[in-house]
Every structure is written in structure tokens, then in C-alpha cells.
Amino acid sequence: MQPVMSRRAREVQPFRAMVFGEQADRMIADGIDVVKLSLGEPDFGAPPAVRDAMREQYDGRALPYTAAMGLPELRRAIADFYQERHGLSIDPKRIVITSGGSAALLLATALTVDSGDEVLIADPSYPCNRELVKSFEGTVVDVPTSAATRFHLTPELVAQYHTDRTKAVMITSPSNPTGTTIDFNVLKSVCDYAREHGMWRIVDETYLDLADREPDGSEVKSVLECDDGAIVCNSFSKFFGMTGWRLGWAVMPDDDDVLKAVDDLATNYYLCAHTPTQHAALACFTKESLDECERRRQELLTRRRIVVDGLKRIGLPVEVEPNGAFYAYFNISSTGLDAWTFCERALAEAHVALTPGRDFGAATADTHVRLSYAASQEALKEGLDRLGRWLPTL
Ligand SMILES: Cc1ncc(COP(=O)(O)O)c(C=O)c1O
């Protein structure tokens, strides 16, 4: 007799972007020319110097575990990166190297959430965070947001949803699926409110270094500029194009008890991040690699223009222009279809793979669709042309 799986295993939600992506792959394998705009994976790959450095790692050396908190040189290199890019002085002891941003979020959740604790999350937002909170028996409080708040939390919303069980706010900026940043003054007010009420602030900055300027023209800033006690999660996957390399980091508050707990959690969960990747990732911080990543960021800005203008042209304008990541989140309710049917039919009839809003929460589940512009300019133009020809047939 098959033993019963845990409740969490029985109830975990699939990541539907993957489901649509897999369906698109099956169609491609059947010889159908599908334009895939469903996955959040940059098409650039790691900078060349990092690939070279990785080759050197496989010269027969032993490759032992590193410390659970990560390779000291890499922690220092990340601290220097904060100094150079964001003007922030971060003690390397606060940086923990993780297996992707995913494991940074896992550590952050494990560190902060107990059974029955409530965590406030903007709806729509990155789906995996909900599953992490549920894994630690926390309660996700989805706070419906809209274009009016750039699809982010505000201090007013946090105050409205705050109860005596609220333990943390989780913010992703720039956001997946909307590609919008939280206005820095709003971020500061949310963090001030949360701190004053004894809540953790967990801020996912996975897309921070891909961001463009704020709508008012100012630089996009890390939460650490306004809240040094926030827990920041970040990744080598997006800005450095290293999705499959599985490397990320978190910046933890400067508190010895917290740092010891993080060390112990990391040791118990995975001992350390992949040793060769940690060594190779040092090459991310050379001038050559950073220049390469900056060129790619500029390329993404060009692609964003193509997508934002293209969606407007075909009658599906984005409500809030993205200024980070590589996503556009647009309202399809004018088509008379719900977002799931829209995506199913776009794939079957126009051969364009997109992601329905249902992945990202309930608030925009039926009305919005995510387009990922981590695809070539040609693919984006073709995808938009196909959608433009298909829409009048609905
Ligand atoms: C907002 C956000 N956070 C975290 C991740 C996790 O990525 P990784 O584990 O590859 O760093 C993703 C991946 O798409 C994401 O979109």
C-alpha cells in the first residue's frame, strides 16, 4: 500500500508557466513553429569569462564543500558589488551564498515563519513564495493590488491587512509578473510600518540589477538604502544570466543570532551551494563581465520598447509600463476571454506561448496575462504580429 504523502505535497500548486512552456515544447517537437514568450529565463547565458572559469574548475581538483555561508571570496565580491553599484557598505559576514535565489527565499522563510504566522504578499506576485510560506505552516495573506499601486503593497494596504499574527511582509521589486518596481518612498513607508510593528521585511531583489530608472527618473535603489534590517534575496540567474548554475545570495540583518541561525539552517538544508559554481561566479565581477551584463540590460530595454509599443498597437496596452525584469503584464478582459482561455487559444491558434495570470494569485487571475521578453527581438516582433492577426478572429 502506498503511504500517504504529506499535506503540503498533496496541496502544492504547479507553476503553470512551466505547464504552458512544456505544452509549447511538445508542439515544437511536433514541428510546429511556436514563439515562446512564457518563461522567465534570459536567453544570453553566463558571461564568457564565467564559462571559462567554470572549465578550469573541472581540471581534476577535489572540489570539497565550502562553508555553509559560502565561499569567503565570493561573499566579499558581492559586498564590493553593493558598494560599487549601489553605494552600500555591507559587511560580507551578512551575505550567505545559496543555491539560486530560490534557496535564499527558502532560508528567509525558514528563518522567519512559524506555524500560524501570517505573511503579507502582493497579489499578483511570484508564486513560489506562497508555497514556501505554506511549507513552514505559515498563512499567506494575499493582498489584492492593482495598476493604481504599480501592483505593489502600500503602507495603507499593509495597515489594512495587518493582524496580531502578521509576522512578515514579502516584496518582490522589480516584480514578477508585472516588471514594475515599488516606488522607493512607498517601499520605505512599508518597511517603516512593518519594522515599527515587529514584522520582518523580506525583499526579493532578483531583478534589481536589470531595472531601468524609476518613473520619476531616479535610480532604482535596493531596500537596504532605507532599511538595513531587511532580509534581501538575490540571484545570479537573471542579471548574470546563470539560471541553470543555481546560485544566489541573501543579505541578512547584522545580528549575530540571526547569522548563526542562517548558518545552521543552510548547513542542515544543503550544506553549501555548488562549489565549482561559487568559484566560477567570481568572474561575474570583473569589468569585462559587468560590461557584458550591462550591454544585455540595454538590449532588454530595447526589447521592452518593442513589446510595450507592440501591445499598444494591437489593442492590449499594459496598464503600468514595466521598468525592470523582462515581463509585461497586460489586461486581456477587452477580448471577452478569461486569461486561461486566452493563453490556451493563443498557443493553439496563434502559436504564441504566454502565461495566464492564475499563476500569480487570484486578483488578476482571469484578467491578466504575462509576456516574457527574454526572447530575441525577431521572436518578439513575430509573436506580436501573430497576436495582432489572431485577435480580430476572436
Ligand atoms: C521573483 C523571483 N524570485 C526568485 C526566483 C528564483 O530564481 P532562481 O532560483 O533561479 O534564482 C525567480 C525565478 O524566476 C523569480 O522570478
Side-chain angles (χ1 to χ4, degrees):
M1 198 171 82
Q2 178 73 6
V4 180
M5 290 189 297
S6 67
R7 189 164 47 82
R8 100 180 45 85
R10 283 180 276 127
E11 292 178 359
V12 66
Q13 295 296 307
F15 197 174
R16 294 182 187 85
M18 298 289 185
V19 175
F20 272 86
E22 283 159 16
Q23 204 170 321
D25 287 341
R26 280 194 294 279
M27 290 170 68
I28 292 167
D30 287 344
I32 300 169
D33 167 29
V34 176
V35 179
K36 256 180 95 171
L37 307 178
S38 50
L39 289 187
E41 180 156 26
D43 53 337
F44 305 115
V50 179
R51 300 181 199 201
D52 291 342
M54 186 59 133
R55 250 176 244 119
E56 285 171 22
Q57 289 299 307
Y58 289 104
D59 60 0
R61 67 186 75 175
L63 301 172
Y65 294 132
T66 65
M69 294 293 278
L71 192 69
E73 302 90 294
L74 186 59
R75 298 167 75 194
R76 204 169 314 118
I78 293 171
D80 291 346
F81 181 64
Y82 275 104
Q83 183 69 62
E84 277 150 34
R85 197 169 173 96
H86 299 286
L88 286 165
S89 171
I90 308 286
D91 190 328
K93 76 172 187 196
R94 294 172 57 192
I95 295 171
V96 52
I97 310 294
T98 56
S99 298
S102 302
L105 289 160
L106 170 74
L107 283 182
T109 321
L111 181 77
T112 55
V113 177
D114 272 324
S115 170
D117 287 345
E118 292 177 358
V119 178
L120 306 188
I121 295 182
D123 179 353
S125 64
Y126 182 59
C128 304
N129 291 339
R130 294 190 180 88
E131 296 303 324
L132 287 173
V133 171
K134 278 161 43 187
S135 291
F136 293 99
E137 297 175 0
T139 303
V140 177
V141 179
D142 268 310
V143 178
T145 63
S146 68
T149 65
R150 301 175 55 73
F151 295 103
H152 281 288
L153 296 177
T154 62
E156 294 76 21
L157 285 169
V158 173
Q160 188 185 334
Y161 284 83
H162 171 202
T163 72
D164 54 8
R165 300 207 305 199
T166 311
K167 190 72 173 295
V169 290
M170 258 182 153
I171 296 164
T172 303
S173 179
S175 153
N176 177 4
T178 64
T180 57
T181 54
I182 184 169
D183 176 277
F184 188 70
N185 293 323
V186 175
L187 176 64
K188 181 175 181 323
S189 305
V190 168
C191 290
D192 287 349
Y193 180 96
R195 194 175 49 246
E196 281 156 20
H197 291 85
M199 301 174 204
W200 293 95
R201 291 80 62 205
I202 302 171
V203 184
D204 180 352
E205 297 190 340
T206 288
Y207 297 100
L208 181 74
D209 293 300
L210 281 180
D212 192 12
R213 294 183 167 267
E214 296 290 6
D216 67 4
S218 61
E219 297 274 341
V220 171
K221 300 186 189 85
S222 165
V223 67
L224 294 167
E225 279 200 38
C226 66
D227 183 359
D228 194 51
I231 297 172
V232 172
C233 300
N234 209 323
S235 177
F236 284 85
S237 290
K238 313 290 173 162
F239 178 62
F240 294 109
M242 292 170 60
T243 44
W245 298 57
R246 309 311 304 129
L247 204 64
W249 73 88
V251 183
M252 292 291 170
D254 192 356
D255 176 307
D256 288 342
D257 292 338
V258 168
L259 295 176
K260 178 171 182 322
V262 169
D263 195 337
D264 292 342
L265 287 166
T267 306
N268 280 286
Y269 286 166
Y270 53 81
L271 290 175
C272 73
H274 188 240
T275 296
T277 301
Q278 292 194 64
H279 284 282
L282 287 168
C284 286
F285 301 102
T286 60
K287 182 170 182 322
E288 181 195 0
S289 294
L290 290 171
D291 286 351
E292 173 65 22
C293 292
E294 178 55 25
R295 272 193 296 279
R296 295 164 168 195
R297 194 180 71 85
Q298 293 296 334
E299 165 65 18
L300 285 173
L301 299 185
T302 307
R303 294 179 187 181
R304 184 179 81 202
R305 218 35 296 138
I306 292 171
V307 167
V308 170
D309 293 348
L311 285 170
K312 192 167 171 196
R313 195 180 62 243
I314 65 174
L316 295 173
V318 282
E319 295 149 314
V320 196
E321 191 162 316
N323 62 333
F326 31 69
Y327 305 116
Y329 201 54
F330 54 99
N331 192 324
I332 52 83
S333 31
S334 63
T335 64
L337 300 179
D338 65 82
W340 187 269
T341 312
F342 182 95
C343 288
E344 272 187 341
R345 289 188 58 183
L347 182 55
E349 296 166 23
H351 299 165
V352 179
L354 299 162
T355 304
R358 201 184 290 179
D359 251 348
F360 308 103
T364 53
D366 291 332
T367 50
H368 285 68
V369 164
R370 188 191 76 174
L371 180 155
S372 163
Y373 52 88
S376 70
Q377 295 188 27
E378 294 67 37
L380 292 169
K381 286 178 190 154
E382 176 62 22
L384 288 161
D385 284 351
R386 288 185 191 185
L387 290 174
R389 287 195 298 274
W390 169 69
L391 283 171
T393 70
L394 292 177

